[in-house]
Amino acid sequence: MPQLLSTDDSDFNTRFADLLTMKREDSVDVDDTVAAIIADVRARGDEALCDLTTRFDRFTLTPDRIEITGPEIDAAARAVPQAERAALELAAQRIRAYHERQMPKDESWTDKSGATLGWRWSPVSAAGLYVPGGLASYPSSLLMNAIPAKVAGVKRLVVTAPTPDDKVNPLVLLAARIAGVDAVYRVGGAQAIAALAYGTETIDPVDKITGPGNAYVAAAKRRVFGRVGIDMIAGPSEILVIADADNDPDWIALDLLSQAEHDESAQAILITTSAKLGQQVARAVEARLQTLARRDIAAASWRDYGAIITVNDLGEAAALADRIAPEHLELCVSEPDPLAANITHAGAIFLGKWTPEAVGDYVGGPNHVLPTARSARFSSGLSVMDFLKRTTMARMTPASLKAIGPAAETLANAESLEAHGLSVRARLDTMN
Amino acid sequence: MPQLLSTDDSDFNTRFADLLTMKREDSVDVDDTVAAIIADVRARGDEALCDLTTRFDRFTLTPDRIEITGPEIDAAARAVPQAERAALELAAQRIRAYHERQMPKDESWTDKSGATLGWRWSPVSAAGLYVPGGLASYPSSLLMNAIPAKVAGVKRLVVTAPTPDDKVNPLVLLAARIAGVDAVYRVGGAQAIAALAYGTETIDPVDKITGPGNAYVAAAKRRVFGRVGIDMIAGPSEILVIADADNDPDWIALDLLSQAEHDESAQAILITTSAKLGQQVARAVEARLQTLARRDIAAASWRDYGAIITVNDLGEAAALADRIAPEHLELCVSEPDPLAANITHAGAIFLGKWTPEAVGDYVGGPNHVLPTARSARFSSGLSVMDFLKRTTMARMTPASLKAIGPAAETLANAESLEAHGLSVRARLDTMN
């Protein structure tokens, strides 16, 4: 059973605070192992990649097979059924259209002092995307990472993916082809992150690494951060559904389960103004759990981390939502817009009962890589901005330097940075 | 003597590569100490802050004095000479005007499927700025961190600053007042970062921490990253000046020294098409080093990390600049715009000989918190974006769900995420 709470309960505040601080992930300390793997890849390059892959992914890898060749990708792509190919292409097209609108503009203006100021955006030169293997090998995640990079204008975009037992996921390779990825390497784990950050004989280093991964991958990303850019460190998925009385309990149940089935550490929470709907949803979840393919995972998540919270009105719901700062927020209410306007912290908002979160996972257009573990308070989902950087620009004229230079000199001297002040003064002195 | 290189030298590539990979910072391992400090602050709150401050900052702090009171700030601010106050106010006004232009816009549109998509921006609720003590206590840095936060709309903005020997920098307090900071705490080091991240009786926790600091502060920021957002981990400052023959060697020398005087680990590099100018600048630097107040620091930086590189043309200069990816790039050439267009990786570009980098440190308008250590390849200077986060929005109609929902169902099933598919299917089935 999930937790059942009501804002009218006398112990509500304590129990809600416990729900917020609940630890959902065992933090395994893999840092020493990861440090050794990174050192090995830096020292021995391809040879280390092959040895580590042979050890962890249970097949013998040789340097000439590190890169998955074009013909291999073509053959795998041809094996994908037409319906899946069409769905991937629709997803790619919609993700591309959404992310193209995110491209920021360069700006330049001249202010009244005569100084010309502005900034310009440029893409990182090379990006590496990590695609996990095994159960979590999702072609949709490849699109969500690769397409923003391509839209941003990244020149070289490569993918690393473990292929345990030497098996590749054809849908992932097709997604790589659709997204325009330049190379795919059959390497995973911390060794893949090390190769992307430092380079090997086969894999050139990149400037930015994105994509989800297990504890080893996450630890490796933290370690190489600074040498390269990384995206966020993603935690288990979460959904918060806010629903009024006028909802089909089965729809809400499935929306909750669509997060719960990801991972035993996932969290699904319903906040409702209708205690009756809350009860109906609880029963609908149990009914669906009888037959769901991933029922063991979903049942564990729902039992350990699920919650149904009854509130008196949507104002209460909004306040709780901001404290949860959910990755995904579904507003299954008759007037979702004013409710959304009342909530500040969420990674993505799905408005109205016709917008199941799963649409956003695949074909909505917005990115499905979103901030977890309450980090929507301060961070955003993946976007083209993650593959761009901004250079600020300034150009003074003699007149503008005369207007504002003396203030710079004053502050430099106040901060005891004499050369700073002199570099302005030397120029000002030629104007007298 | 700095290194003297020419692209015509037979060993140029090796020496330039060595210059790029030169390690300028000793990485002191303070992680265990920092972990203990953070644990102490989490366990004992204000009491730990006071004990640690008494130990590290050499004065007895009691909980009632952790916050610097309004009257104290007022008194300190009144003590600042009028010229410095006016300079700070001009700086604040120009920084505000520049950063107001950075505010991104919310977007919303309806596509041909009938789906309404978009995103909206919102500020983090609370931000904490770290202002280092001692020599590096710069009021200009306070403005550069605080003003973007205020422009972004951060509701609660607090500053922590160590006050060794119980001495405060009046200019820093005045800058806090000008920038509209809500509270200033006389606490520094890892304990200040712990307090901002976890809160104590006196200091409420924040969502984002920015600002430079020593190795302890940097290690603490890395540790609390994830619980709160952090800005970049800044390294020693750098400048690259590209100059043609038509320059005053003394101006260039002062521009180089304005970085070198920051820190013995700072790096100043000149690339010039004129070997003669290179020699003149080397002599001008030596001359200025005779009298500069911070000559010991500047001379050490110039000797250990400085370089003058002679190139055959500005095309070579641009290619080298991209490999250096400097924090600050000055283009002292007759036509700076086409040269700037030819360079991709730089934190900030200063165009033309009338734009000394020091203007940008104080009153230019753009932020002076910029990516160091080649990270301009993948990251940007501080901006209003650091204090904002984006929530993506999506709203389907029954018709748009009918149009794109089946593709989501297909992909969900291909990824073996049955509940994802069912959450779409349950809705589609009601439409038949």
Side-chain angles (χ1 to χ4, degrees):
Chain A
M1 276 292 287
Q3 293 197 54
L4 303 176
L5 291 81
S6 162
T7 49
D8 290 337
D9 295 342
S10 58
D11 61 351
F12 176 77
N13 284 331
T14 314
R15 290 183 62 201
F16 184 74
D18 288 347
L19 189 69
L20 283 188
T21 53
M22 198 175 251
K23 200 168 166 55
R24 288 189 284 138
E25 269 189 311
D26 287 333
S27 51
V28 195
D29 192 1
V30 298
D31 216 40
D32 290 345
T33 311
V34 164
I37 290 173
I38 294 175
D40 191 19
V41 172
R42 291 185 68 175
R44 297 196 299 131
D46 282 352
E47 204 182 325
L49 289 186
C50 292
D51 289 353
L52 290 161
T53 301
T54 302
R55 172 149 39 122
F56 294 124
D57 292 343
R58 302 177 301 274
F59 71 99
T60 306
L61 182 63
T62 47
D64 59 303
R65 285 192 72 232
I66 287 174
E67 182 172 350
I68 302 182
T69 65
E72 283 179 275
I73 297 175
D74 290 338
R78 275 194 302 273
V80 172
Q82 177 53 29
E84 292 178 10
R85 172 189 294 268
L88 264 187
E89 280 169 353
L90 177 69
Q93 172 203 320
R94 292 187 58 88
I95 297 164
R96 193 175 299 116
Y98 183 91
H99 287 79
E100 278 171 351
R101 290 187 178 245
Q102 289 180 331
M103 278 298 282
K105 287 193 178 58
D106 296 349
E107 299 284 349
S108 179
W109 65 93
T110 300
D111 70 17
K112 61 177 197 267
S113 82
T116 302
L117 303 172
W119 61 79
R120 64 173 203 207
W121 293 92
S122 54
V124 301
S125 297
L129 313 182
Y130 186 85
V131 176
L135 276 179
S137 173
Y138 296 142
S140 58
S141 290
L142 190 147
L143 296 183
M144 291 290 180
N145 279 271
I147 291 173
K150 291 299 280 190
V151 169
V154 173
K155 284 205 198 75
R156 190 167 64 84
L157 180 59
V158 303
V159 164
T160 61
T163 58
D165 301 312
D166 210 6
K167 292 198 178 99
V168 294
N169 179 341
L171 218 52
V172 166
L173 295 183
L174 175 59
R177 181 108 314 165
I178 289 173
V181 165
D182 297 298
V184 184
Y185 305 106
R186 57 180 110 235
V187 182
Q191 58 272 27
I193 303 300
L196 291 173
Y198 291 98
T200 68
E201 297 87 336
T202 300
I203 303 180
D204 284 335
V206 301
D207 302 303
K208 177 101 186 190
I209 300 175
T210 68
N214 63 18
Y216 293 86
V217 171
K221 281 168 70 180
R222 267 185 198 271
R223 277 204 167 253
V224 301
F225 172 54
R227 179 174 182 92
V228 299
I230 62 167
D231 62 344
M232 68 196 85
I233 307 282
S237 198
E238 309 145 4
I239 190 170
L240 170 62
V241 180
I242 299 179
D244 58 22
D246 184 23
N247 273 285
D248 183 329
D250 186 48
W251 295 10
I252 305 291
L254 286 167
D255 296 350
L256 295 168
L257 288 170
S258 73
Q259 292 307 304
E261 74 174 345
H262 266 297
D263 188 333
E264 293 183 1
S265 305
Q267 184 167 48
I269 299 176
L270 168 65
I271 297 181
T272 178
T273 48
S274 162
K276 185 178 165 200
L277 181 83
Q279 290 156 7
Q280 291 169 328
V281 169
R283 284 196 294 271
V285 168
E286 296 308 323
R288 286 288 185 177
L289 279 174
Q290 301 304 308
T291 58
L292 204 64
R294 293 167 68 88
R295 59 183 169 270
D296 291 347
I297 293 169
S301 157
W302 181 239
R303 178 192 66 223
D304 294 341
Y305 305 115
I308 296 177
I309 304 175
T310 308
V311 293
N312 293 296
D313 54 54
L314 292 178
E316 278 187 6
L320 297 180
D322 264 343
R323 289 179 61 192
I324 295 171
E327 181 190 14
H328 303 102
L329 174 62
E330 251 186 51
L331 303 183
C332 297
V333 298
S334 57
E335 299 284 348
D337 289 320
L339 179 56
N342 217 3
I343 297 170
T344 309
H345 305 308
I349 301 182
F350 302 88
L351 299 146
K353 65 178 74 161
W354 293 99
T355 319
E357 185 276 324
V359 162
D361 279 339
Y362 296 109
V363 294
N367 213 287
H368 79 198
V369 180
L370 291 165
T372 57
R374 304 189 61 224
S375 63
R377 291 174 297 125
F378 54 80
S379 64
S380 311
L382 199 70
S383 76
V384 296
M385 313 290 281
D386 289 285
F387 299 97
L388 296 168
K389 66 268 186 347
R390 195 185 51 249
T391 300
T392 60
M393 316 287 282
R395 181 171 193 164
M396 300 290 141
T397 58
S400 62
L401 190 65
K402 196 166 179 176
I404 67 173
E409 188 187 14
T410 298
L411 291 172
N413 291 334
E415 293 185 351
S416 303
L417 293 173
E418 185 190 7
H420 284 66
L422 288 171
S423 72
V424 176
R425 174 51 49 199
R427 288 163 167 94
L428 292 176
D429 280 346
T430 64
M431 294 185 211
N432 296 332
Chain B
M1 275 293 287
Q3 294 197 54
L4 303 176
L5 291 80
S6 162
T7 49
D8 290 338
D9 296 341
S10 59
D11 61 351
F12 175 77
N13 285 330
T14 313
R15 290 183 61 201
F16 184 73
D18 289 347
L19 190 69
L20 284 187
T21 53
M22 197 174 247
K23 199 168 166 58
R24 288 189 283 136
E25 267 188 313
D26 287 332
S27 52
V28 194
D29 191 2
V30 298
D31 216 39
D32 290 346
T33 311
V34 165
I37 290 173
I38 294 174
D40 192 19
V41 172
R42 290 185 68 176
R44 297 196 300 131
D46 281 353
E47 205 183 325
L49 289 186
C50 290
D51 288 354
L52 291 161
T53 301
T54 302
R55 173 151 38 122
F56 295 123
D57 292 342
R58 301 176 301 274
F59 71 99
T60 304
L61 183 62
T62 46
D64 58 304
R65 283 192 73 231
I66 288 175
E67 180 170 351
I68 302 182
T69 64
E72 283 179 275
I73 297 175
D74 290 337
R78 274 194 303 273
V80 173
Q82 177 53 27
E84 293 179 12
R85 172 188 294 268
L88 264 188
E89 279 169 354
L90 177 70
Q93 172 202 319
R94 292 187 57 87
I95 296 164
R96 193 175 299 117
Y98 183 92
H99 288 79
E100 279 171 352
R101 291 189 179 243
Q102 289 180 330
M103 277 298 281
K105 288 196 177 55
D106 296 349
E107 299 285 349
S108 179
W109 65 94
T110 300
D111 70 18
K112 62 178 196 263
S113 82
T116 301
L117 304 171
W119 61 79
R120 63 173 204 205
W121 293 92
S122 55
V124 302
S125 297
L129 313 182
Y130 187 85
V131 176
L135 276 179
S137 172
Y138 296 142
S140 58
S141 290
L142 190 147
L143 296 183
M144 292 289 179
N145 279 271
I147 291 173
K150 291 300 280 190
V151 169
V154 173
K155 284 203 199 79
R156 189 167 64 85
L157 180 59
V158 303
V159 164
T160 61
T163 57
D165 302 312
D166 209 5
K167 292 197 178 101
V168 294
N169 180 339
L171 218 51
V172 166
L173 295 182
L174 174 59
R177 180 110 312 164
I178 289 172
V181 164
D182 297 298
V184 184
Y185 305 107
R186 59 180 108 235
V187 182
Q191 58 273 25
I193 303 300
L196 291 173
Y198 291 99
T200 68
E201 296 87 334
T202 300
I203 303 180
D204 284 333
V206 301
D207 302 303
K208 178 101 186 188
I209 300 174
T210 69
N214 64 16
Y216 292 86
V217 171
K221 282 168 69 180
R222 269 187 195 270
R223 279 204 165 252
V224 301
F225 171 54
R227 180 175 181 92
V228 299
I230 62 168
D231 62 343
M232 68 197 86
I233 306 283
S237 200
E238 309 145 5
I239 190 169
L240 169 62
V241 180
I242 299 179
D244 58 22
D246 184 23
N247 272 286
D248 183 327
D250 187 48
W251 294 12
I252 306 289
L254 287 167
D255 296 352
L256 295 169
L257 288 170
S258 73
Q259 292 307 303
E261 74 174 345
H262 267 297
D263 189 335
E264 293 182 2
S265 306
Q267 183 167 47
I269 300 176
L270 169 65
I271 297 181
T272 178
T273 48
S274 162
K276 184 177 165 203
L277 181 84
Q279 291 155 6
Q280 292 170 327
V281 169
R283 283 195 295 271
V285 168
E286 296 308 323
R288 286 289 186 176
L289 279 175
Q290 302 304 310
T291 59
L292 205 62
R294 294 167 68 87
R295 59 182 168 270
D296 291 346
I297 293 169
S301 156
W302 181 239
R303 177 192 68 223
D304 295 340
Y305 306 115
I308 296 176
I309 304 174
T310 308
V311 293
N312 292 296
D313 54 52
L314 293 177
E316 280 187 4
L320 298 180
D322 264 342
R323 290 178 61 193
I324 295 171
E327 181 190 14
H328 304 101
L329 174 61
E330 252 187 50
L331 303 182
C332 298
V333 299
S334 58
E335 298 284 348
D337 289 319
L339 180 56
N342 218 3
I343 297 171
T344 309
H345 306 307
I349 302 183
F350 303 87
L351 298 147
K353 66 178 72 163
W354 293 100
T355 319
E357 185 277 325
V359 162
D361 280 339
Y362 297 109
V363 295
N367 212 287
H368 80 196
V369 181
L370 292 164
T372 57
R374 305 190 61 226
S375 63
R377 291 175 296 124
F378 54 81
S379 64
S380 311
L382 199 70
S383 77
V384 295
M385 313 291 281
D386 289 284
F387 299 97
L388 296 168
K389 67 268 184 351
R390 194 185 51 249
T391 299
T392 61
M393 315 287 283
R395 180 171 193 164
M396 299 291 141
T397 57
S400 63
L401 190 65
K402 197 167 181 176
I404 67 173
E409 188 187 15
T410 298
L411 291 172
N413 290 334
E415 292 185 353
S416 304
L417 293 173
E418 186 191 6
H420 283 67
L422 288 172
S423 73
V424 176
R425 174 50 49 197
R427 287 162 167 95
L428 292 177
D429 280 346
T430 64
M431 293 185 210
N432 294 331

